[in-house]
Amino acid sequence: MSHGVDVRRVLIYLGLAFGIAWATSLVIYLTGGLGQSPMLFPEAGVSLALVLLAGPVMWAPAIAHGLTRLLTRERWERVSLRPQLRRAWPYWVAAWLLPGLLTIVGMAAYFLTFPHHYDASLGALREMLAAQMPEGVGLEELNVWALAAVQVAQAVLLAPILNSLATFGEEFGWRGYLQPKLLGLGPRRALLLTGAIWGIWHWPVILMGYNYGFDYPGAPFLGPLAMVWFTIVVGTLLGWLTLRSESVWPAVIGHAALNGVAGLGIIFVRGDPNTLLGPTPVGLIGGIGFTVVAGAILMSVNGRPGADEGIA
């Protein structure tokens, strides 16, 4: 034990969570990576990489949670699976709406900083729509801005539900098992360390071009570092929601909401922006809203080792 941290179980958990995800990522790399992965269902655009990412990779933390408890004979207590809706509904609402709001804040900050990358004509969206339209059908009769607004509304309102199956796999591990195990270091350190570990866990797919691609200064090595920063600030928000609600579900919903709206900035882009900066929230400027919120949370949480409460 170190400050009340069960080091043995933490190391077993991390070995399993990283081992499953990184072994699966190796399979993705050896079968063509993210860009050249074999298509399993071509008509639906479903590749082997997509299936492996949504399955063994994203569910590795939850699988590791279960296996660690089984291997170490740990009782299934305080697993944070009760929704706690009656008491914790404000945190559900925050989880549902904040990711979209903070993504828009970061997107606005990016385009104000780099106005030459802003495309009011939504050319990127027009290109995506043109590729999906039947031959001979034009876009002249479509109101692209109205369509974009509908897509944003759907992402904000429906993505937290539609994406939650996949994000539960991560959150039941990181916020449901690892974070509570690290609380003996103090809530502030637990939030920061869980977020950093979560980011390092992403490294194999980031090195294959996920989120940042390869066309940025310092590629592919600065992308993994930027990812750690992103997961620290977002993980602080998700971890705080878990602490305050005493349930993993707001983190599941928040993560699902973020995944649904994170690509919003792409439809407004022209040119070749530096993905380390934005306009998506994984960039330093695109994620500025999450950074500010994370800073406020870290200033409010109790930093004392062994503290039981998440808020000072």
Side-chain angles (χ1 to χ4, degrees):
M1 294 283 191
S2 176
H3 292 295
V5 176
D6 190 335
V7 176
R8 172 174 167 268
R9 285 193 169 103
V10 167
L11 291 177
I12 290 173
Y13 170 77
L14 292 177
L16 291 167
F18 277 75
I20 295 168
W22 285 21
T24 305
S25 298
L26 179 61
V27 173
I28 294 173
Y29 175 75
L30 294 175
T31 54
L34 300 177
Q36 302 296 323
S37 180
M39 297 301 294
L40 299 181
F41 304 100
E43 64 283 356
V46 177
S47 66
L48 174 63
L50 180 62
V51 171
L52 293 178
L53 282 173
V57 174
M58 290 193 72
W59 272 80
I63 294 170
H65 180 165
L67 288 176
T68 302
R69 288 187 183 273
L70 290 173
L71 291 172
T72 63
R73 298 182 180 181
E74 184 177 0
R75 298 176 65 181
W76 287 85
E77 296 178 339
R78 301 181 68 180
V79 291
S80 303
L81 283 178
R82 290 188 177 184
Q84 309 285 9
L85 266 174
R86 179 176 296 181
R87 184 186 61 78
W89 67 265
Y91 302 105
W92 281 72
V93 173
W96 207 293
L97 299 180
L98 267 180
L101 176 61
L102 297 178
T103 295
I104 292 172
V105 167
M107 183 180 69
Y110 178 83
F111 287 125
L112 285 172
T113 306
F114 301 103
H116 59 285
H117 283 311
Y118 177 69
D119 181 9
S121 70
L122 305 184
L125 179 59
R126 291 178 182 276
E127 290 181 10
M128 287 187 284
L129 291 173
Q132 298 171 9
M133 297 288 282
E135 187 174 352
V137 178
L139 296 175
E140 294 79 9
E141 66 278 12
L142 291 178
N143 186 325
V144 182
W145 270 96
L147 183 59
V150 170
Q151 291 183 332
V152 171
Q154 288 178 335
V156 171
L157 297 176
L158 298 180
I161 298 173
L162 301 177
N163 294 340
S164 60
L165 178 62
T167 58
F168 177 83
E170 290 194 53
E171 296 307 321
F172 189 54
W174 303 125
R175 257 58 67 177
Y177 190 81
L178 180 61
Q179 180 174 286
K181 284 287 185 286
L182 298 177
L183 283 176
L185 300 173
R188 187 178 298 141
R189 289 189 181 94
L191 291 172
L192 291 170
L193 188 54
T194 302
I197 291 170
W198 183 29
I200 294 170
W201 175 84
H202 280 87
W203 279 2
V205 293
I206 301 300
L207 288 169
M208 284 188 274
Y210 194 71
N211 282 325
Y212 299 98
F214 298 105
D215 298 326
Y216 60 84
F221 303 109
L222 291 183
L225 297 179
M227 189 63 187
V228 171
W229 174 258
F230 172 70
T231 55
I232 287 175
V233 298
V234 172
T236 295
L237 172 59
L238 299 179
W240 178 80
L241 290 170
T242 303
L243 288 174
R244 294 298 291 158
S245 66
E246 297 182 3
S247 172
V248 74
W249 289 107
V252 172
I253 293 298
H255 191 165
L258 174 60
N259 284 1
V261 77
L264 175 62
I266 295 173
I267 68 175
F268 295 94
V269 165
R270 65 180 171 190
D272 298 308
N274 182 342
T275 53
L276 294 178
L277 300 178
T280 66
V282 296
L284 296 179
I285 298 176
I288 191 67
F290 289 95
T291 301
V292 171
V293 169
I297 289 171
L298 292 171
M299 290 176 64
S300 72
V301 298
N302 200 324
R304 292 180 292 119
D308 293 328
E309 298 296 327
I311 301 297

